[in-house]
Each structure stands twice: as structure tokens, then as C-alpha cells.
Amino acid sequence: MQIAYIKALNSIMQSDKRVVSLLSDSGTDYDAMMARDMPYQCFNVGIAEQNQIGIAAGMAMSGKIPFVYTSGAFLAYRGYEFIRNDVCYQNLNVKLVGMGSGLSWSTLGPSHHTTEDISVLRSLPGLAILSPATPIEAAACVVEAYHHVGPTYIRLGMSGEEEFFHEGYSVHIGGSERLTQGDTAAIFSTGSMLSEVMQAEALLAQKGCSVSVYNIYSLKPLDSETMLNAARRHKAIVTVEEHTILGGLGGAVAEILLEAGLSLPFLRIGLPDTFAVGYGTQSDVRRQNGLDGETIAERVYGFLQTSERHDE
């Protein structure tokens, strides 16, 4: 997703000189090429994420449209106070881009995992949150963030995510998309976990269990209408996220359903009240934490079987 982000931002910066890129020693060769071609729109502030956000806030107050790009864990946690006070409280047009969502930094352990950022940031007033699943969707989120006036956070994977969309694909803040249609459960997935969920969907189909898969790319605001309609059409709801289940997608969906007075079997799949365990590739760490497609399918199937017995 990183290359997709940089290419999309590069195109925007070439057409709009107000758009600037801020790095904290977190760039690539592509960023270096962009800085060479547009030196007055590219700034590397070093490993100083709080300063990076403060600088972006000042630039936004001067009419610029800054894209702040760094590790998601350092952005969401180390820079939280600056996001809250400098960006959101002032309702500034700053775009925050956290690379390495979920367990992407799989070899570096929990200090680098971005598994609480949704919980931490979705409570901030006025902050839109986008969580793309693929490179094409990541580029579409960059374009949408650029057109949106106000603070925006985009969480990016960085592990060669599988592509499910086509060129020209677009998103809108507050939207979502149904990818498969079934009659048993609705599975809401966000971010790069979509590949695992699609694998789980195929495994469930082999067992005669058809599910609808929804790609929730906008985490704030949520597409509440689609979620409520899905709840009314299915026997159960499942949320899947590479994130803690405390305050993440699952919690947000539960809020919507309960406030609408809907009650049906509900399963949250993600990290329980723990940090992730294990090291290795992202696939390895997902498997060690029960977030691989096979384990997701087993949990969903068992949950549905139990729910059906309770209904009898």
C-alpha cells in the first residue's frame, strides 16, 4: 500500500501546490524522487512525530494541505496529544497517514504493532478514519481524504496486500461495500484483514454456510444504514479486525445495533484484552493470534452452529 499511497499523493501534489508531504525519517526511494521533483512541498522532520504533527497544524492554518506520513503506532500513540489539541480541537485540514496497520510490523513486536489506533482515535471529535484493504483502495482513500475538508486518518497495511478492486475504484467517507452475498451471517471486515476474511468465506461455503462479506473502509463515520440493513437480513453479525476488540470495529458496530434496538447473535474476532504474541511474517503472527482465514472460518462456523442450537 505504501507505493500506492505515494503515487496517489505525488499526482495530487503535482496538480495542487498547497499539498505538502511531511515525513519522519519514514520514507522510501519513491519519496526521495518526489522530494527531488517538488522540493518545496516535501519535508522530513526527523524522528519527531509530535513536532511533525505540530508543523502540519501550522501549515494547515496557513492554507496548506499537509499529509503526515509515519509509522501508525508512533503516529497514533506518541502523537496523540498533538492530534487531539493541535489538529482535531482546531478542526484543521490535516491528513494523518499511519503505515503498518495491525500486525504489519510483525518482526518487531507489540511496540510497533498498530492494534489500538482505532480505539484511541475514533473518540476524537471531527476526525474521519479510513481503513483501506488493498493498494487500489488505499489510493482511493488518499484522493477522498484530499477532497474532504477536515482532519482525516488513513491506516495503511504494508505487506503486499491481495487486490480485490479495479483501477478507477472510488470510496467516500461514511461508505462501505458488500463483496459477497449470503443468507447466514454478515461479516464486517476492515483493512488488510479482508484477504483472510475472503479465504474464510470460501472455506465456509465448502461447509454449506453462505455469508455476506462487507468491506468497512470508513471506520468513522460508519455506514450505519448498511449495517442495520445487514442485521435485518441475516441471522448473525461477525466483525473481524486486526486490532483489539475493545473499542474497535466490533464495539462500534455493537453501538449502532443496540441503539437501533436490534438483537441478534454477535461475534467479535480480533485481539482480546491482550497484546499480540509471536514473531515472524505477518501471516505467521496472524496465525499465532487466531486471525488467519482458517481459524476465522472455524470460529464463525462454530459460532453459527451454537447460535442455531440456542434458537431451537
Side-chain angles (χ1 to χ4, degrees):
M1 288 193 201
Q2 294 182 87
I3 295 175
Y5 162 74
I6 294 165
K7 287 183 176 179
L9 182 60
N10 181 72
S11 178
I12 292 171
M13 289 172 64
Q14 288 183 5
S15 62
D16 188 344
K17 300 304 180 185
R18 297 175 301 162
V19 180
V20 295
S21 170
L22 280 77
L23 305 175
S24 57
D25 278 355
S26 51
T28 67
D29 291 340
Y30 294 96
D31 294 287
M33 293 168 62
M34 195 160 64
R36 179 197 63 198
D37 296 337
M38 294 175 284
Y40 299 108
Q41 291 173 260
C42 299
F43 305 88
N44 187 345
V45 306
I47 303 176
E49 288 82 4
Q50 299 99 320
N51 290 342
Q52 184 184 19
I53 297 165
I55 291 167
M59 288 181 162
M61 294 180 74
S62 301
K64 301 293 185 181
I65 304 176
F67 277 75
V68 175
Y69 180 75
T70 188
S71 168
F74 303 151
L75 181 62
Y77 314 144
R78 184 178 297 167
Y80 178 80
E81 179 183 1
F82 292 76
I83 295 172
R84 181 185 187 273
N85 295 341
D86 289 1
V87 176
C88 292
Y89 182 60
Q90 313 297 333
N91 194 34
L92 295 179
N93 195 25
V94 174
K95 316 305 174 184
L96 305 163
V97 184
M99 65 171 174
S101 62
L103 304 171
S104 297
W105 295 98
S106 56
T107 59
L108 298 179
S111 65
H112 283 65
H113 295 165
T114 313
T115 51
E116 302 84 31
D117 57 322
I118 301 170
S119 306
V120 168
L121 296 178
R122 79 180 183 93
S123 63
L124 291 178
L127 180 66
I129 301 178
L130 296 172
S131 180
T134 76
I136 286 178
E137 192 169 50
C141 286
V142 173
V143 174
E144 176 67 2
Y146 164 66
H147 289 295
H148 174 69
V149 179
T152 308
Y153 172 61
I154 306 174
R155 58 197 313 266
L156 298 178
M158 52 176 291
S159 300
E161 292 75 18
E162 184 177 355
E163 189 57 71
F164 294 97
F165 306 106
H166 53 80
E167 294 294 340
Y169 174 82
S170 63
V171 302
H172 66 276
I173 289 175
S176 66
E177 183 173 18
R178 187 185 68 205
L179 300 183
T180 69
Q181 184 169 0
D183 55 14
T184 305
I187 302 181
F188 298 130
S189 171
T190 191
S192 61
M193 280 300 292
L194 181 60
S195 60
E196 305 289 355
V197 171
M198 294 300 287
Q199 179 186 349
E201 186 269 343
L203 293 171
L204 288 166
Q206 293 175 11
K207 296 183 177 184
C209 180
S210 65
V211 298
S212 298
V213 173
Y214 291 81
N215 175 38
I216 310 301
Y217 60 75
S218 177
L219 289 170
K220 186 185 177 192
L222 283 166
D223 186 357
S224 57
E225 181 178 356
T226 292
M227 291 176 174
L228 292 174
N229 287 336
R232 295 184 181 107
R233 292 197 306 267
H234 295 84
K235 299 176 183 178
I237 296 292
V238 178
T239 60
V240 182
E241 54 196 313
E242 197 173 26
H243 187 272
T244 177
I245 62 172
L246 303 178
L249 173 64
V253 173
E255 292 168 8
I256 289 172
L257 300 183
L258 287 173
E259 288 178 352
L262 297 180
S263 177
L264 71 166
F266 189 98
L267 174 65
R268 295 177 296 168
I269 296 178
L271 295 173
D273 189 17
T274 62
F275 292 103
V277 299
Y279 295 84
T281 67
Q282 187 173 15
S283 295
D284 291 336
V285 180
R286 282 177 174 173
R287 188 162 47 253
Q288 292 171 68
N289 290 273
L291 296 177
D292 58 294
E294 185 175 347
T295 304
I296 292 168
E298 291 173 355
R299 288 195 61 187
V300 172
Y301 187 75
F303 169 70
L304 293 175
Q305 294 294 105
T306 301
S307 299
E308 288 177 2
R309 287 196 294 269
H310 287 168
D311 290 339
E312 294 175 354

